[in-house]
Amino acid sequence: MENKTPAAVGAMLREWRIVRRLSQLDLALQADISARHLSYVETGKAQPSRDMIARLSDTLEVPLRQRNALLVAGGFAPVYPETGLDAPKLAQMRYAVEAMLAQQEPYPAFLLNKHWDVLMANEAAKKLNRFMLGGRDSKHGNMLRQIFDPDDLRPAFANWEELAGNLLRHLQNEAAAAPADGKAQALLDEMLAYPGVPRHWRHRTPDSAPAPVLTTSFDRHGEQLGFFSTITTFGTPRDVTLAELHIESCFPADARTAAFCRRLR
């Protein structure tokens, strides 16, 4: 049973403030409340209202799943639903996602959740993966595992260290930004445990940002291919599921790669 007390929600809000690297005064000014009242909330001397939790969550840019957790810790019902992607309520959104993936043909595109699980992929993505794996399917349904596992796609990458290091910084930042997300931390630990991962990757540099554009180079079966990726997220989502989804679209970096994708069967 979760401990629903002022101290519980106050400690969680304080943790988010520290993650966002704000002082009490900075947060109080941005949220338009008194620093004294914020101090009382964080120490459990004052019970925050539902509106106060919402205001601080907005200011701290807390993800929807964690906003629900803050509300529950404060003794309130969660307000953001978490709807399965197959549910009738999200039928239109699923149709839109399928259309976006199909539109990306003959270039790869994937629908991923916040933990890099591949929920959907277009035919181009499936064909490219099978080509890189000699005709077999990946044994993993998670993109990070596919990239880090030496028995999966990893040997096909010509720029594996650059690519994996960039993705690991993304994962480190996500785990640091959501300290209550045990799955993100477990996934990070798993990636770091794979053989050949440089030891210095274990130490996160807070100010080091991942590269703005993700590039991927393949060298497999006599083919040298290059892609760059863009990420599409859903604006102002009111559902936990949608808030945690993104579409990764891969584009050919050169004419040779574009031609290969068009003839790939």
Side-chain angles (χ1 to χ4, degrees):
M1 184 71 178
E2 189 167 0
N3 184 23
K4 303 178 182 65
T5 67
V9 68
M12 292 169 68
L13 286 166
R14 179 178 181 274
E15 190 172 51
W16 276 105
R17 176 177 62 76
I18 292 172
V19 165
R20 298 299 187 229
R21 304 173 75 176
L22 293 173
S23 68
Q24 281 189 342
L25 180 58
D26 290 334
L27 177 57
L29 289 172
Q30 291 182 28
D32 195 24
I33 62 175
S34 74
R36 182 178 183 181
H37 183 59
L38 176 59
S39 177
Y40 281 3
V41 167
E42 288 190 354
T43 58
K45 294 179 180 179
Q47 168 70 53
S49 65
R50 178 191 291 270
D51 289 342
M52 177 61 69
I53 293 174
R55 183 188 301 186
L56 291 172
S57 295
D58 285 341
T59 306
L60 292 167
E61 298 181 345
V62 177
L64 299 192
R65 182 181 299 278
Q66 282 71 36
R67 294 187 189 213
N68 277 345
L70 285 169
L71 287 166
V72 171
F76 304 104
V79 297
Y80 300 102
E82 182 175 3
T83 309
L85 195 56
D86 292 331
K89 183 179 178 181
L90 294 186
Q92 287 185 320
M93 187 58 65
R94 183 180 178 88
Y95 173 81
V97 169
E98 290 172 344
M100 293 171 71
L101 297 182
Q103 182 66 30
Q104 186 63 15
E105 300 281 356
Y107 310 127
F110 311 84
L111 177 69
L112 306 163
N113 64 16
K114 65 178 294 187
H115 296 121
W116 301 84
D117 296 315
V118 180
L119 305 181
M120 297 171 62
N122 66 3
E123 287 304 311
K126 297 173 186 176
K127 291 174 183 177
L128 182 64
N129 275 22
R130 289 188 189 118
F131 174 82
M132 294 299 165
L133 291 170
R136 64 183 173 92
D137 289 319
S138 170
K139 65 180 182 179
H140 297 298
N142 180 280
M143 183 172 286
L144 291 180
R145 293 188 178 102
Q146 292 175 1
I147 292 170
F148 276 77
D149 187 348
D151 192 39
D152 208 273
L153 284 173
R154 177 168 161 178
F157 294 105
N159 68 331
W160 179 81
E161 191 159 324
E162 173 191 356
L163 172 66
N166 197 40
L167 291 175
L168 195 71
R169 283 190 289 275
H170 274 289
L171 184 56
Q172 286 173 327
N173 290 343
E174 290 171 7
D181 187 351
K183 189 171 181 179
Q185 185 59 55
L187 187 60
L188 175 59
D189 293 340
E190 182 183 343
M191 296 307 103
L192 290 170
Y194 274 111
V197 173
R199 292 185 62 83
H200 68 271
W201 286 6
R202 300 177 183 278
H203 307 291
R204 174 177 175 264
T205 304
D207 295 326
S208 67
V213 177
L214 186 65
T215 58
T216 305
S217 299
F218 290 103
D219 188 352
R220 199 69 162 170
H221 309 307
E223 296 286 351
Q224 290 80 44
L225 309 173
F227 296 90
F228 66 92
S229 300
T230 63
I231 301 295
T232 301
T233 58
F234 299 93
T236 60
R238 303 294 293 176
D239 188 283
V240 173
T241 298
L242 295 182
E244 296 180 348
L245 296 179
H246 67 270
I247 295 174
E248 180 172 343
S249 303
C250 303
F251 295 87
D254 50 53
R256 178 177 179 170
T257 300
F260 173 84
C261 291
R262 288 194 295 270
R263 68 174 185 266
L264 184 62
R265 294 292 183 266

